[in-house]
Amino acid sequence: MRLRRVVVTGLGALTPIGNTLQAYWDGLSNGVSGAAPITQFDASKFKTRFACEVKNFDPTEFIDKKEARRMDRFTQFAIVTSDEAIRDAGLTSENINPDRVGVIWGTGIGGLHTFLSEVTSFAKGDGTPRFSPFFIPMMIGDISSGMISIRNGYRGPNFVTMSACASSTNAIADAFNYIRLNKADIIVTGGSEACVNEAAMGGFNSMKALSERNDDPQTASRPFDLNRDGFVLGEGSGALILEDLDHALARGAKIYAEVVGCGLSADAYHMTAPHPDGLGATNVMKNALEDAGMKPEDIDYINVHGTSTPLGDPQEVKAITNIFGDHAFNINISSTKSMTGHLLGGAGAIETIACILAVDKGIIPPTINHTTDDPAFDTRLNLTFNKAQHREVRAALSNTFGFGGHNASVIIKKFTE
């Protein structure tokens, strides 16, 4: 069968460096850090006392107050960004068939705020079960795609992908495949996460995964730097409207870029550590290139997983050099987690958006906070340190890797008819 072409016609973002798509892009291109002391709970006794929080967020500005109270924060984020993306794409009841519009969303953890609040309240009580009737539907990860479809009346394919930090890239890959296989005309996709709370911070601290640079939070996320000491927890959401090309052209939609390939793989190695030879990361990029029918030389920009951990960064760069060879020195590589922190299951969504905008605008967002070279990285690599760089981006690749060895990559290409 003929595979249909899939384009991006709408975007939405709610991030630690900007609460709209434009604000997010401004933050990226200007190298803004979203890290600051935690405001959502008293973190004074924690090893890490800072995070990349979404700032000045009031859900009732976007959602009815009663409805908002029945949503976990991660679902509120999903609603806000999907609303922005739908508006951006110009989707209306007149130009879509709701039976052919789906929602495929990603989240790594889901309603952790709700779970923590309900269980804490029970533990502090006298043992009498007094749980909210909304506890379970607020907590479960799939409620995000469900609420987006309910809000908009979209009756096409609807589910959530959950693969840790690869979750929203998996969602984008599934959305891409469903459209090109003619299972839907349009899919709202992306991901959201909201885990800046005691449970997540305590859990990641106990794993020694987080930076503990409490004296200087803004520079704590420093991928590829010799003195990196762990990732910075972030929260937020990104939404994309993926659409069949013919459908988009028929309704006169603006087109940001084309999705041309995706790759999936597993490390099959360790619960949390990356494969020491970068095997899974190598395979996932190879699979994405093959799916897109592209050569390594066709890629101009890679938005890396790049979490700022001592183990993860070298393995990813090793994988890049495995796949791209000498062309790796011609590619711009950057980690936007240096600015946004790590959104866990939402990371792939906002980082794919960064790739789309890099293709659309010809600007590579930087890897900020670099001060000291690490001899583990070849100095011929262009890791886009500290300042955005301008260049034509014909195609960009976004990587996300999750606990459990889950790897997902997506390739974005400049649209040409």
Side-chain angles (χ1 to χ4, degrees), residues 27-32 301 303 333-339 363-369 383-389:
L28 285 181
S29 52
N30 290 305
V32 174
Y301 171 49
N303 188 299
I333 298 167
S334 75
S335 172
T336 48
K337 287 184 179 73
S338 59
M339 295 174 275
I363 298 174
I364 307 292
T367 305
I368 66 169
N369 299 327
L383 298 170
T384 321
F385 285 136
N386 296 326
K387 289 186 178 180
Q389 296 178 15

Side-chain angles (χ1 to χ4, degrees), residues 104-227:
I104 302 177
W105 204 250
T107 186
I109 298 178
L112 190 59
H113 277 292
T114 296
F115 185 88
L116 180 62
S117 174
E118 290 290 317
V119 171
T120 299
S121 294
F122 175 72
K124 289 180 178 178
D126 60 5
T128 303
R130 296 186 181 91
F131 290 93
S132 166
F134 297 101
F135 173 26
I136 301 303
M138 287 173 65
M139 176 196 70
I140 53 179
D142 70 289
I143 201 66
S144 48
S145 66
M147 293 303 290
I148 293 169
S149 70
I150 292 167
R151 186 174 178 87
N152 296 283
Y154 298 155
R155 297 188 292 266
N158 189 287
F159 58 90
V160 157
T161 61
M162 188 170 282
S163 51
C165 304
S167 296
S168 52
T169 305
N170 272 121
I172 293 165
D174 280 356
F176 169 60
N177 284 324
Y178 271 66
I179 294 171
R180 65 176 175 168
L181 291 172
N182 198 25
K183 305 295 184 184
D185 295 327
I186 299 169
I187 292 185
V188 183
T189 189
S192 57
E193 205 80 271
C195 291
V196 181
N197 56 40
E198 296 90 334
M201 295 300 295
F204 284 123
N205 263 157
S206 69
M207 295 173 62
K208 302 189 182 302
L210 296 178
S211 170
E212 297 179 15
R213 201 177 295 275
N214 295 296
D215 57 336
D216 191 10
Q218 287 198 317
T219 69
S221 183
R222 47 179 70 194
F224 313 118
D225 191 88
L226 179 64
N227 298 311

